[in-house]
Amino acid sequence: MQIEMVTSPEEAAQGLAGAHFLAAEMMYKPRPEKPAERFVFDATFRARLEALNQRDGVLLIVNDAKTLESLRVFPETYPQPRWFAAIVNPRPLGHYKPDLPRQWEWDAPGHWMIFKTSDRWARIDFALRAAAAISKTNAGMLMMPAHDAAYGRELLERLEKTALYFACDGIPASVSPFAPNQHTPVAGANYEDGVSAAMNAAFARDSNMHRKIRHDDVQAFWGKMNMTPFAMCAPLLGIVSQKVWEDDKEIDRALRDCGFCARALWIKDQSIYRQSPPVFSRQDLKQVIERTLHYSLNIPTRPLGASSLNHPLDFEGKIRRLFFPQFRRANALAEALIRECMAEIETRLARYGVSWVDWGDYRYVVRVGDPDVEVWKKI
């Protein structure tokens, strides 16, 4: 099975016309070379591909030809869905700006360029435009899963059933699964002791999340995995702000402002849906926490830090800490890493007035009180 290259969302839509499920797989770097990372990447990607059939399509939205070449092994094993690919990157905002990088004491200050959006937003935009174009010929569902999402056909059928149940004005709902655990180890991969439990303790601090989901009292569109009708994609493009870093939260807002129905679905069964990020060590977990803390840094609060990571344990969490030693140890490590990251952020803010974090090839600069993120790259 060959991957057909396209240069525009419209061209992709022509090739994918008639697709029922369209999986937009966004790849910002080649398939990992390190054995542990490759093992987990392959396990999750293969699980997602096994969920597709001949009615479906895969749209690889990648950063360069090297990344695309590293993925060509997968269509050979999974030839049923139609495979298309596009190279998509964010556009520069202007010329090099050495003044701010010099003020912030970055290395090689004359070699930094600022971009219009994040690379993820550039690829989300391409996926939404392709799905919007397909909607002119047939109904279907767009999915934009994260690399660590793993699921089978059962999840897709359950999400679609939920979408139809909550349909409004003839348009199915946008539905996202929510897993209580952010980290489910992949059997056969090696992890540092306690890291998986610490990540779950860090990101599951709201014991009422399943109740909030049931009553639609929480964000419903999630970036880890989502299923959105093609018909919603064109209206979304007209209202989302692609300068907001936390893209899934912004898409959730836009869906509701458009009058569409969006629902989350609590999935506790790991055989149906799980998340297995490439977090193997304490340092890996710290990088995830650091990035997540920056998502909410723009919200001015006293003390600083509106992220859910900074919320103290609720009543149920305190009971777990009291009676379950394993959770107590996991939570202690999670909170230590959160404090460590917050201290580094506060030091940076005090010195420069901004904070930043590196993710992939880009550096994201956040200001307290400013909802827009600045995206930089060293050229």
Side-chain angles (χ1 to χ4, degrees):
M1 180 67 184
Q2 297 296 316
I3 302 175
E4 186 171 337
M5 289 292 300
V6 295
T7 58
S8 70
E10 294 73 23
E11 186 181 358
Q14 290 177 5
L16 290 161
H20 184 61
F21 293 133
L22 172 58
E25 294 280 354
M26 304 175 196
M27 304 289 179
Y28 64 93
K29 62 180 179 180
R31 181 185 180 204
E33 294 183 356
K34 294 181 179 179
E37 292 182 14
R38 172 168 287 200
F39 185 79
V40 170
F41 176 90
D42 286 2
T44 56
F45 194 25
R46 290 183 186 281
R48 298 195 300 275
L49 293 175
E50 287 171 2
L52 305 176
N53 61 31
Q54 67 276 6
R55 293 182 62 202
D56 307 322
V58 177
L59 178 58
L60 297 173
I61 310 177
V62 304
N63 63 322
D64 60 25
K66 182 179 179 181
T67 294
L68 180 59
E69 188 61 33
S70 73
L71 301 172
R72 289 191 182 277
V73 63
F74 293 100
E76 299 172 4
T77 310
Y78 303 97
Q80 283 194 323
R82 285 170 281 170
W83 287 79
F84 288 82
I87 295 175
V88 178
N89 290 294
R91 292 177 294 170
L93 186 60
H95 300 292
Y96 295 94
K97 290 187 172 183
D99 293 344
L100 288 175
R102 187 175 293 113
Q103 177 184 324
W104 297 331
E105 300 184 272
W106 291 357
D107 63 313
H111 293 270
W112 288 88
M113 181 174 284
I114 192 167
F115 287 76
K116 291 185 176 181
T117 68
S118 67
D119 56 334
R120 178 167 168 81
W121 261 123
R123 291 166 197 140
I124 289 174
D125 181 87
F126 191 97
L128 290 174
R129 292 185 185 281
I134 298 174
S135 71
K136 297 175 182 178
T137 59
N138 64 276
M141 294 287 195
L142 171 66
M143 302 176 298
M144 298 184 287
H147 295 179
D148 53 329
Y151 50 80
R153 190 74 183 186
E154 183 176 351
L155 176 71
L156 303 189
E157 292 173 351
R158 184 176 296 192
L159 293 179
E160 185 172 38
K161 183 178 180 180
T162 303
L164 293 171
Y165 179 83
F166 288 105
C168 182
D169 295 332
I171 300 178
S174 174
V175 182
S176 296
F178 186 93
N181 288 332
Q182 290 280 313
H183 194 294
T184 301
V186 174
N190 293 320
Y191 301 90
E192 193 175 293
D193 287 345
V195 166
S196 179
M199 183 166 182
N200 290 329
F203 287 90
R205 304 185 75 75
D206 188 348
S207 301
N208 289 315
M209 181 61 79
H210 62 293
R211 300 183 189 94
K212 292 178 179 178
I213 286 175
R214 187 168 63 248
H215 295 289
D216 192 26
D217 192 29
V218 71
Q219 179 177 330
F221 184 95
W222 296 95
K224 292 293 185 180
M225 170 56 183
N226 42 75
M227 181 180 285
T228 300
F230 294 161
M232 291 184 180
C233 294
L236 276 177
L237 283 164
I239 194 172
V240 292
S241 169
Q242 297 189 17
K243 294 182 179 180
V244 175
W245 188 10
E246 200 172 0
D247 46 75
D248 56 353
K249 189 174 183 179
E250 172 62 10
I251 292 174
D252 183 81
R253 178 203 65 78
L255 283 168
R256 297 179 189 276
D257 285 357
C258 285
F260 296 132
C261 180
R263 299 294 295 228
L265 189 62
W266 180 268
I267 304 289
K268 192 174 182 179
D269 189 341
Q270 295 179 0
S271 68
I272 296 175
Y273 173 61
R274 63 191 182 278
Q275 294 168 197
S276 299
V279 175
F280 304 98
S281 67
R282 183 183 186 275
Q283 183 59 33
D284 293 338
L285 178 53
K286 182 181 177 182
Q287 290 176 349
V288 175
I289 289 173
E290 180 186 28
R291 185 172 70 240
T292 305
L293 286 170
H294 279 80
Y295 287 156
S296 302
L297 194 62
N298 63 289
I299 304 172
T301 57
R302 293 182 183 274
L304 181 68
S307 172
S308 60
L309 293 175
N310 284 312
H311 290 182
L313 288 176
D314 55 22
F315 178 75
E316 290 185 38
K318 291 177 180 177
I319 293 296
R320 292 178 66 198
R321 183 176 62 186
L322 181 62
F323 290 102
F324 297 93
Q326 183 179 10
F327 177 77
R328 185 162 57 246
R329 291 190 295 270
N331 184 68
L333 174 56
E335 291 188 346
L337 291 175
I338 292 167
R339 288 194 300 270
E340 188 176 328
C341 289
M342 281 305 303
E344 294 172 3
I345 289 170
E346 288 168 350
T347 299
R348 200 176 293 123
L349 284 169
R351 183 165 184 172
Y352 305 111
V354 300
S355 187
W356 59 79
V357 64
D358 293 336
W359 188 13
D361 292 333
Y362 298 85
R363 179 167 290 180
Y364 297 81
V365 177
V366 182
R367 292 176 172 81
V368 177
D370 187 348
D372 295 343
V373 70
E374 287 185 4
V375 183
W376 295 75
K377 183 181 181 181
K378 189 164 68 171
I379 305 299

